[in-house]
Amino acid sequence: MTENKNQSNNMNTKDFFIGTLLGGIVGASTALLLAPKSGKELREDLNEGAKIAATTAKESTSNFAQTVSEQSTSLVDRVKELTRAVRKDVEELTESAESLTTDLQGAGEEIAASVKKEVEELQRSVEQLVQEVEEKEREKKQNESEEN
């Protein structure tokens, strides 16, 4: 529910910035075109309006990028937290599988080996997921440093 609320807030923020930018551009253009001025004055006003629109766009983009950055950091932290929890669960499963293997050696070594193999594959999958998350985090940081 909190995640949906954050997504809704993001959309509202994004829509607000886009609306502000477009409204500013349309309003400035309309005012400039309807005002009785000479060609030179009109060009100067258009240039000034374009500068204002560019500044507004830059500020809106910067704010939006900061919001996205904060939320992606929050998401990465959550994924890391979930990854830690999954790792812990996998370790517990591994320990249980090893214990089960010892208990079942006489009764069914094939079953125990199969369970252990499944747990090891799960552990490898989790490790791969962790590596992918860490790689995405490094790429994100590298992209942010390249943008700055």
Side-chain angles (χ1 to χ4, degrees):
M1 173 143 177
T2 303
E3 200 168 302
N4 289 338
K5 188 175 181 181
N6 286 341
Q7 288 176 347
S8 176
N9 287 340
N10 291 343
M11 292 303 290
N12 290 340
T13 303
K14 183 176 101 174
D15 292 342
F16 175 76
F17 285 126
I18 291 172
T20 301
L21 177 63
L22 291 177
I25 292 171
V26 169
S29 299
T30 303
L32 291 174
L33 293 175
L34 296 178
K37 296 183 179 187
S38 70
K40 184 177 181 180
E41 289 175 335
L42 180 60
R43 283 191 301 275
E44 288 174 358
D45 287 349
L46 285 173
N47 284 335
E48 187 175 324
K51 288 177 186 176
I52 291 170
T55 302
T56 304
K58 183 178 179 182
E59 290 172 1
S60 296
T61 303
S62 176
N63 291 338
F64 182 70
Q66 182 178 1
T67 302
V68 168
S69 175
E70 290 169 358
Q71 290 179 349
S72 64
T73 300
S74 173
L75 180 62
V76 167
D77 291 343
R78 180 165 166 107
V79 168
K80 284 181 178 180
E81 179 182 319
L82 290 173
T83 301
R84 279 188 224 108
V86 170
R87 258 189 196 164
K88 182 180 178 186
D89 290 345
V90 167
E91 288 173 2
E92 291 174 1
L93 282 172
T94 302
E95 290 173 8
S96 296
E98 289 172 355
S99 174
L100 185 61
T101 301
T102 303
D103 293 345
L104 295 177
Q105 278 183 343
E109 290 184 16
E110 290 179 20
I111 294 173
S114 175
V115 169
K116 187 174 182 179
K117 180 180 175 185
E118 290 292 327
V119 169
E120 289 171 350
E121 288 178 9
L122 179 61
Q123 188 172 12
R124 279 192 294 271
S125 296
V126 168
E127 290 296 329
Q128 184 178 2
L129 177 63
V130 169
Q131 289 175 350
E132 290 174 6
V133 167
E134 290 172 348
E135 182 178 319
K136 294 276 186 188
E137 180 68 16
R138 282 191 297 271
E139 289 175 6
K140 179 183 157 256
K141 287 181 181 178
Q142 183 180 7
N143 288 340
E144 287 177 356
S145 66
E146 288 175 2
E147 289 176 5
N148 293 330

